[in-house]
Amino acid sequence: MKTTIEINQDTYTIDVSKPIDVSIPLRGEKSNPTAWYVGPPEIAPVTDGNFTGSVASGASTNFNNIFFNPHAHGTHTECIGHITKEFHSINDCLTRFFFLAELISVTPEETNGDRVITKKMIENALKNNSPEAVLIRTLPNSEEKLTHQYSHTNPPYLLEETALFLREKGIKHLLIDLPSVDKEKDEGKLLAHKAFWNFNKKQRLDATITEFIFVPDHVVDGTFFLNLQIASFVNDASPSKPILYKIIEK
């Protein structure tokens, strides 16, 4: 299933039958990755008197309630409404879903007890590329990210200058395999979020941040097409399913 895409007089061919899913599935189990000091998601049948919404328990259908937090429980895409007094919904801010994207891998460096992603790292990895979307894979990379419990672990994060550089490069959609682009305990400063969204000036309402992705090692750094899928939540963030497509011809 090949399709041809034209962008700025360049032509690309991708095979839509070979998607690369870089989302983390949400599971109602303790093994689900978590952050921000909350417990695991809960997926359980509705109960009402003698009724239990489970075929195994005698019901005609499986009828589950799901309790989760988009920011804490896996792959999610958020808009500037995550940090504003005014309400902004990701369902309104993200209205296009297909982008030319660059996948890069970086090794955070130790600084004052933290592990940080610097402007220089991103600059060197992107070179002269200015795609609409950038996916950042942190090294070392392992499947342990699919189950990691991040609360109180001070994960790596982006420096403010790094987020500013991405904004100035014209990157509209930032995806990363960490629970946040900012430091876990930063006294609410949210420097990277604010720099990327241009919070204090002309805010970028159409820019998004996707956190908690996972890109397997066999996917090599380079240029892809990204299909950024979200659920239709009227909320600052939604669980999401970013899909990459390898470019097979240009």
Side-chain angles (χ1 to χ4, degrees):
M1 294 176 62
K2 293 180 181 179
T3 188
T4 300
I5 302 166
E6 292 185 4
I7 299 179
N8 298 327
Q9 298 182 335
D10 289 324
T11 301
Y12 304 85
T13 301
I14 63 173
D15 186 344
V16 294
S17 69
K18 296 181 179 180
I20 303 168
D21 187 347
V22 296
S23 68
I24 298 176
L26 187 141
R27 304 180 299 275
E29 303 170 357
K30 291 182 178 179
S31 61
N32 193 90
T34 61
W36 313 118
Y37 328 116
V38 300
E42 299 174 15
I43 303 176
V46 171
T47 58
D48 183 9
N50 294 326
F51 172 78
T52 299
S54 165
V55 174
S57 297
S60 60
T61 59
N62 294 307
F63 188 49
N64 291 329
N65 282 327
I66 302 176
F67 177 83
F68 72 102
N69 185 297
H71 295 285
H73 286 144
T75 309
H76 62 277
T77 299
E78 59 196 33
C79 67
I80 197 171
H82 184 40
I83 59 171
T84 58
K85 289 182 180 179
E86 303 80 16
F87 178 75
H88 295 288
S89 169
I90 185 62
N91 199 52
D92 296 328
C93 293
L94 182 64
T95 56
R96 286 182 53 226
F97 309 97
F98 212 71
F99 311 99
L100 193 62
E102 198 74 17
L103 169 64
I104 61 175
S105 296
V106 299
T107 303
E109 67 178 37
E110 296 279 345
T111 302
N112 299 322
D114 293 341
R115 291 163 292 160
V116 300
I117 299 170
T118 67
K119 171 187 172 182
K120 184 177 180 180
M121 290 177 191
I122 303 299
E123 196 170 18
N124 290 341
L126 283 179
K127 299 181 175 65
N128 294 321
N129 294 320
S130 296
E132 289 184 277
V134 168
L135 299 93
I136 301 175
R137 171 171 48 193
T138 56
L139 303 176
N141 187 55
S142 75
E143 291 191 358
E144 192 268 343
K145 290 177 180 176
L146 298 172
T147 58
H148 193 72
Q149 308 301 300
Y150 284 92
S151 298
H152 302 294
T153 64
N154 192 27
Y157 60 92
L158 269 62
L159 294 178
E160 181 181 20
E161 65 172 22
T162 312
L164 176 60
F165 171 75
L166 289 166
R167 187 188 85 211
E168 291 177 342
K169 285 278 283 184
I171 308 301
K172 284 289 186 72
H173 305 284
L174 170 59
L175 298 87
I176 195 164
D177 61 1
L178 298 168
S180 179
V181 295
D182 272 305
K183 184 173 180 176
E184 179 183 17
K185 298 178 182 180
D186 71 345
E187 301 175 341
K189 295 176 182 177
L190 297 167
L191 298 177
H193 280 89
K194 290 180 176 179
F196 184 73
W197 279 319
N198 204 28
F199 181 77
N200 294 314
K201 295 184 180 180
K202 187 177 180 180
Q203 297 178 347
R204 300 205 301 163
L205 301 182
D206 59 347
T208 70
I209 297 174
T210 299
E211 296 159 333
F212 260 133
I213 68 169
F214 177 71
V215 186
D217 283 338
H218 68 81
V219 182
V220 179
D221 285 1
T223 306
F224 295 81
F225 274 93
L226 167 69
N227 180 205
L228 184 53
Q229 304 175 17
I230 60 168
S232 296
F233 276 32
V234 181
N235 188 50
D236 68 283
S238 167
S240 58
K241 190 179 183 72
I243 303 292
L244 294 178
Y245 293 95
K246 185 177 180 180
I247 296 170
I248 56 179
E249 186 178 333
K250 180 180 177 182

